[in-house]
Amino acid sequence: MKPADVLKHVKGESLFTDDFPEPQGTLYAYIFDSPKAHAKIKRLDVSKAEKSKGVVSVLTAKDITGENQIGNIVQDETLLAENEVSYIGEPVAVVVAESLKDAKRAKKLIELELEELPVITDPRQAYEKGELIVPPIIFSSGDLDAAWNRCDVIVEDKIEIGGQEHLYLETQGALAIPNEDKIKIISSTQSPTAVQRAAAKILGWGMHRVEVDVLRLGGGFGGKEDQATPFGAIAALAAAVTNRPVKLVLSRPDDMRMTGKRHPYSIDFRLGADKSGKLIAYEVTYYQNSGAVADLSTAVLERSLFHTTNSYRIPNVKATGLACRTNLPPNTAFRGFGGPQGMFAIEAALNKLAEKLNLPAWELQKRNLIREGDIFYYGQKVKDNQIERCWSEAEESYSIKETIEKINLFNNSQNRYRKGFAVMPITFGISFTSSFLNQASALIHIYTDGSVGVSTAAIEMGQGVNEKIRIAVARVFSVNLDRIKIESTNTTRVSNTSPTAASTGADLNGNAAIIASKNILERLHKKAAEIFNVSPEDIEIIEEAVYVRGKKTEMKWEELIWRSYFERVSLSSHAFYATPDIYFDREKNQGQPFAYHVFGVAFTEVTIDGLLGTYTVDSVKVVHDFGESLNPQIDLGQTEGAIMQGIGWVTMEELVQNKDGRLLSNSLSTYKIPDIFSAPADVEIRFLENPHNPNGPFNSKAIGEPPFMYGIGTYFALRNGLKAFGVSDNIPLSSPMTPEKVLLALHSKQVV
Ligand code: MTE
Ligand code: QUE
Ligand code: MOS
């Protein structure tokens, strides 16, 4: 059966923030943002704008009745700039008017006088100037200094990894509706409680006076985890000041300019091994381009540290994370949350090492895979390890040897084209690494007709979490899916919500919903036992019918529900779930932060046109550990989408800023994302057989982020393709590998 949303999406019936019918008297907000990347504010005058036609109010920091602070992990972010601006796109003032046109007209009348300050856009430069958001974060294990002496080969190099624009289809936005002493915010956010908390703080109100409601998002990908917050808070402030509903929905150019992206990283590494290629020592330093304020940067950086060794056993490791403050919009969560940058670095290092040892990289990868019982360098034991099984099933299904033979034959058969091949294994930790966030609640009501309403903290953003929770609840009650409706996410029904992020949405909220369902089921069993004069253990509900001691009775679900209601049994339950046994010690940087890991292996094959520098991704072939999938269609969709997004990141999505901190790739004509023509011709995804995951709802596994990192394989397949042209050494480790870069590399060798 298709997820409930599919038909609505196809027919264009699904509602997003901008689609909700606007209440009578709704005003429109438009943001006046900083035109400079770093400057002192000398004068801000909104008086002319205030007198402009249709304008009801122009808000500046002075209008904030509470605290002008929306920082999450670090309290370093104003909602509206006060004395200084630190990136282009930073909100300074907000025009609130009868129409968007009136607001835009008035915006031009705002006068801002700035005294420019030096602009930093490069993370290494920021580091040299001492501009760190937090002190260096260092994870290590073993004895690195001693280990280098035992290495037969050592490689070192520098890596540049680009950022990535989220490009969710629905831009950031919110609609705030005042209602007596409360404000209700309809927000396109992954984190309703973050919006609620920030709006309350800005207004100086208790959180109980702010209600946030989210039906669904047209995509988030991490970009609406923290960065939906300012727009929700601005709409709320405007609604409080004017006492009218206020809508704020960003245009695409405004969204691209104002919001942060995936963090670009500059990286130094050193990797050592013995003659056979067994890894001995790895040292890596991540210069994260954090942007102007902390946002989630420190948590993202930590995840890079956690995934520094990807799927490999390396006994001596030291990784240093530097959160470098620059004058760019605050970079933020994006699918993988720092994991991709960490994994890219170790893959780059392994490829370099393979070149030096004159071995194929996949030989090295395979030799060094983690084994059951190993210890990840941050202290967690490798448990329920599936990486070797994924690898061997991939080899069996897709045969490396034959692929290589076929590629060599092709490469030797003509001059213009070369094929390249790479393997990308992934081992991705599931849980927020900030342990406190691994909690969720669910509220379930069964109505008197036997239909069921389910509220959780999960945000539906296209990833199918609602359908997964629906399936889990239907399984507990053993009723038809049609009976179950997943409600909007609402902070008055389910409070203190963790963001739907870290791929944990279905796990945390699914488990909470299962507990709530079981609570009610137990009461139903008790009632049925009373009716049939047996004990509750004798009762079962199977496919909407009541069974006594394994025998079907005449009593159906609807009748049992009505009888229970009539005899005053509670048909509602609220339940709480917290992931057991996780912790992380931030003094020692050791612990057991993850509930479990997700494993998989991807084979990627590409063809480069040596004349044009263009290329195609011929195939991506995957064996992935899905656990027991709650819905294979959803999980396949997540895997394919994530692979494509990952390929986009390492091949064509190129963010360009000038020295003044201005985003030049600020539209879809200058920022290219993959389309159907850049999709791999062949995508094969196999489900690892006999999976096992007691931590996921019904043995399922998280899927949202891990397959993104299969995309990294495309980068190294392209690198190998270049090598097949004879471009061997010193191909700069610089992502994305755009066709321009391919052509430059080819020209440097005059190969065609
Ligand atoms: N899939 C779609 N279609 N749209 C999205 O915005 N976000 C991704 C992933 N898959 C996203 C998506 C990210 S960044 C995460 S963390 C997970 O979904 C979150 O949802 P989950 O925890 O329910 O998997
Ligand atoms: C993965 C994530 C997140 C994370 C850690 C992960 C994430 C997130 C936070 C976070 C951390 C500290 C806070 C906070 C949020 O950590 O999405 O509010 O105080 O928001 O490993 O995806
Ligand atoms: Mo996903 S980056 O954790 O929202």
Side-chain angles (χ1 to χ4, degrees):
M1 198 167 127
K2 289 202 165 44
D5 272 5
V6 169
L7 209 59
K8 291 195 201 91
H9 287 350
V10 172
K11 291 163 117 181
E13 290 170 357
S14 306
L15 295 181
F16 300 90
T17 305
D18 205 15
D19 303 323
F20 287 100
E22 291 147 22
Q24 204 170 21
T26 295
L27 299 171
Y28 300 83
Y30 198 69
I31 295 173
F32 174 88
D33 61 299
S34 173
K36 297 288 176 192
H38 196 195
K40 270 209 166 68
I41 298 181
K42 302 301 282 182
R43 191 174 70 92
L44 173 62
D45 185 352
V46 299
S47 56
K48 284 196 187 114
E50 274 172 336
K51 290 182 204 114
S52 179
K53 180 176 158 262
V55 172
V56 177
S57 179
V58 181
L59 308 171
T60 65
K62 292 198 189 85
D63 297 294
I64 292 171
T65 45
E67 201 185 328
N68 187 10
Q69 181 51 248
I70 58 164
N72 182 351
I73 301 177
V74 185
Q75 303 284 293
D76 68 345
E77 186 173 1
T78 55
L79 181 68
L80 297 172
E82 269 184 58
N83 307 314
E84 215 179 280
V85 285
S86 55
Y87 64 92
I88 291 175
E90 180 174 347
V92 176
V94 184
V95 186
V96 191
E98 299 288 346
S99 75
L100 194 57
K101 212 169 162 188
D102 291 340
K104 283 186 177 178
R105 190 188 311 112
K107 182 197 154 186
K108 294 192 188 124
L109 301 173
I110 293 175
E111 292 169 15
L112 177 67
E113 216 177 285
L114 296 173
E115 183 185 309
E116 287 190 53
L117 296 166
V119 172
I120 299 177
T121 58
D122 176 69
R124 288 183 192 252
Q125 200 189 341
Y127 175 69
E128 274 157 29
K129 294 245 158 82
E131 288 288 343
L132 286 187
I133 284 174
V134 292
I137 308 174
I138 299 170
F139 283 19
S140 69
S141 82
D143 182 351
L144 204 64
D145 290 335
W148 294 122
N149 295 324
R150 279 183 276 128
C151 296
D152 298 315
V153 275
I154 295 176
V155 289
E156 55 188 10
D157 208 341
K158 195 179 145 174
I159 307 170
E160 295 294 337
I161 305 179
Q164 188 174 27
E165 161 65 43
H166 298 86
L167 224 90
Y168 24 67
L169 283 176
E170 181 197 18
T171 56
Q172 303 277 6
L175 170 64
I177 306 161
N179 172 8
E180 290 191 353
D181 53 0
K182 254 189 110 159
I183 285 185
K184 177 173 173 175
I185 310 171
I186 291 170
S187 164
S188 184
T189 180
Q190 291 174 241
S191 190
T193 290
V195 173
Q196 182 193 21
R197 190 185 291 125
K201 197 169 188 176
I202 289 295
L203 295 171
W205 294 5
M207 283 170 75
H208 61 323
R209 292 176 64 191
V210 180
E211 171 182 350
V212 178
D213 192 271
V214 185
L215 182 57
R216 66 164 69 72
L217 316 188
F221 304 110
K224 293 172 180 171
E225 223 189 291
D226 239 28
Q227 301 218 348
T229 299
F231 308 107
I234 286 172
L237 176 66
V241 169
T242 61
N243 198 28
R244 285 170 67 176
V246 175
K247 183 151 121 175
L248 170 62
V249 174
L250 297 194
S251 68
R252 181 66 63 185
D254 285 352
D255 189 305
M256 287 180 86
R257 183 179 67 257
M258 290 180 189
T259 64
K261 312 182 187 310
R262 185 186 294 284
H263 296 80
Y265 277 41
S266 186
I267 299 171
D268 291 325
F269 71 82
R270 197 163 183 236
L271 179 68
D274 69 13
K275 279 194 286 290
S276 74
K278 198 172 139 205
L279 300 179
I280 295 174
Y282 182 45
E283 185 170 14
V284 60
T285 304
Y286 302 108
Y287 296 84
Q288 179 197 59
N289 191 334
S290 311
V293 296
D295 192 275
L296 296 169
S297 292
T298 53
V300 169
L301 185 58
E302 258 186 20
R303 202 170 256 278
S304 303
L305 297 172
F306 281 112
H307 291 89
T308 282
T309 59
N310 187 10
S311 306
Y312 309 112
R313 127 202 275 199
I314 315 179
N316 304 283
V317 183
K318 182 182 177 197
T320 304
L322 305 167
C324 308
R325 192 193 301 279
T326 60
N327 297 113
L328 296 176
N331 287 319
T332 194
F334 196 145
R335 209 173 199 168
F337 205 80
Q341 293 93 331
M343 288 195 191
F344 188 100
I346 184 65
E347 293 305 324
L350 270 171
N351 271 270
K352 273 275 190 188
L353 192 70
E355 285 160 26
K356 190 139 181 185
L357 285 167
N358 215 5
L359 281 170
W362 56 265
E363 279 281 1
L364 270 189
Q365 291 171 313
K366 188 178 168 181
R367 264 175 223 182
N368 290 288
L369 290 178
I370 45 169
R371 306 201 192 128
E372 187 76 9
D374 282 359
I375 310 281
F376 289 107
Y377 87 116
Y378 49 84
Q380 181 157 352
K381 207 172 189 169
V382 177
K383 207 175 145 232
D384 298 322
N385 179 28
Q386 306 286 11
I387 195 69
E388 288 181 295
R389 277 185 65 214
C390 288
W391 187 290
S392 56
E393 283 203 21
E395 266 202 69
E396 262 169 51
S397 316
Y398 311 130
S399 178
I400 294 185
K401 270 216 180 86
E402 278 168 35
T403 307
I404 300 285
E405 274 167 26
K406 197 189 69 191
I407 286 176
N408 287 341
L409 207 66
F410 176 88
N411 286 350
N412 294 327
S413 70
Q414 43 70 50
N415 282 329
R416 180 161 170 182
Y417 301 95
R418 290 290 180 272
K419 282 187 189 288
F421 170 78
V423 181
M424 182 66 202
I426 57 162
T427 297
F428 192 80
I430 300 301
S431 286
F432 290 95
T433 49
S434 303
S435 300
F436 76 95
L437 290 170
N438 296 288
Q439 53 174 308
S441 304
L443 174 66
I444 299 193
H445 300 310
I446 303 183
Y447 298 101
T448 52
D449 63 354
S451 63
V452 183
V454 180
S455 298
T456 72
I459 298 290
E460 176 59 50
M461 49 187 145
Q463 87 279 39
V465 68
N466 280 1
E467 188 65 12
K468 288 187 174 181
I469 294 171
R470 197 166 165 234
I471 290 166
V473 171
R475 275 201 205 164
V476 174
F477 289 128
S478 193
V479 297
N480 294 335
L481 269 180
D482 297 341
R483 290 203 186 268
I484 305 194
K485 161 99 182 126
I486 307 295
E487 307 287 0
S488 68
T489 316
N490 183 298
T491 54
T492 57
R493 266 180 274 120
V494 174
S495 64
N496 308 335
T497 61
S498 290
T500 297
S503 304
T504 62
D507 283 11
L508 295 174
N509 296 285
N511 278 324
I514 288 170
I515 297 169
S517 306
K518 284 184 174 166
N519 289 343
I520 304 177
L521 186 67
E522 201 182 302
R523 295 178 214 144
L524 295 176
H525 282 182
K526 212 172 131 204
K527 178 48 63 186
E530 221 178 276
I531 294 167
F532 289 103
N533 209 2
V534 293
S535 75
E537 298 79 66
D538 297 330
I539 301 290
E540 271 176 296
I541 298 168
I542 303 172
E543 290 177 12
E544 309 224 328
V546 177
Y547 284 63
V548 175
R549 297 197 185 112
K551 266 212 161 121
K552 192 171 179 174
T553 69
E554 291 291 300
M555 187 178 271
K556 294 275 187 300
W557 170 259
E558 274 157 324
E559 192 187 337
L560 177 60
I561 295 301
W562 180 260
R563 282 286 293 269
S564 299
Y565 162 72
F566 196 72
E567 293 176 25
R568 299 186 295 173
V569 174
S570 164
L571 294 173
S572 297
S573 174
H574 172 273
F576 178 78
Y577 177 79
T579 309
D581 306 326
I582 48 170
Y583 67 94
F584 193 69
D585 178 340
R586 285 202 163 63
E587 301 276 300
K588 301 193 188 94
N589 284 334
Q590 292 280 308
Q592 186 173 299
F594 298 118
Y596 60 90
H597 285 80
V598 168
F599 304 94
V601 170
F603 290 4
T604 304
E605 216 182 301
V606 301
T607 306
I608 298 175
D609 180 334
L611 198 59
L612 301 177
T614 53
Y615 49 76
T616 53
V617 184
D618 304 322
S619 67
V620 178
K621 298 177 180 175
V622 173
V623 175
H624 186 87
D625 171 20
F626 290 88
E628 278 175 48
S629 176
L630 283 167
N631 182 319
Q633 269 182 312
I634 289 175
D635 284 354
L636 266 180
Q638 283 293 294
T639 307
E640 291 170 355
I643 289 172
M644 203 61 247
Q645 205 168 30
I647 291 175
W649 177 51
V650 298
T651 60
M652 64 177 75
E653 296 188 41
E654 195 170 30
L655 287 167
V656 182
Q657 280 102 4
N658 67 9
K659 284 212 162 47
D660 301 331
R662 183 174 307 281
L663 181 68
L664 302 178
S665 50
N666 62 353
S667 73
L668 286 171
S669 61
T670 46
Y671 185 77
K672 178 140 177 61
I673 65 158
D675 56 19
I676 191 65
F677 301 106
S678 29
D682 181 18
V683 179
E684 286 177 49
I685 294 156
R686 296 178 80 93
F687 289 61
L688 184 75
E689 280 165 23
N690 305 317
H692 169 71
N693 184 33
N695 296 294
F698 293 105
N699 264 314
S700 63
K701 273 198 166 185
I703 186 65
E705 294 167 291
F708 178 90
M709 281 145 280
Y710 291 138
I712 295 170
T714 295
Y715 183 94
F716 293 99
L718 286 168
R719 190 177 163 87
N720 289 333
L722 279 174
K723 282 190 258 169
F725 273 112
V727 186
S728 54
D729 309 321
N730 299 326
I731 307 168
L733 287 161
S734 166
S735 173
M737 182 81 88
T738 57
E740 288 89 336
K741 283 188 200 158
V742 170
L743 202 58
L744 282 171
L746 291 169
H747 271 270
S748 73
K749 287 282 164 178
Q750 304 275 313
V751 288
V752 180

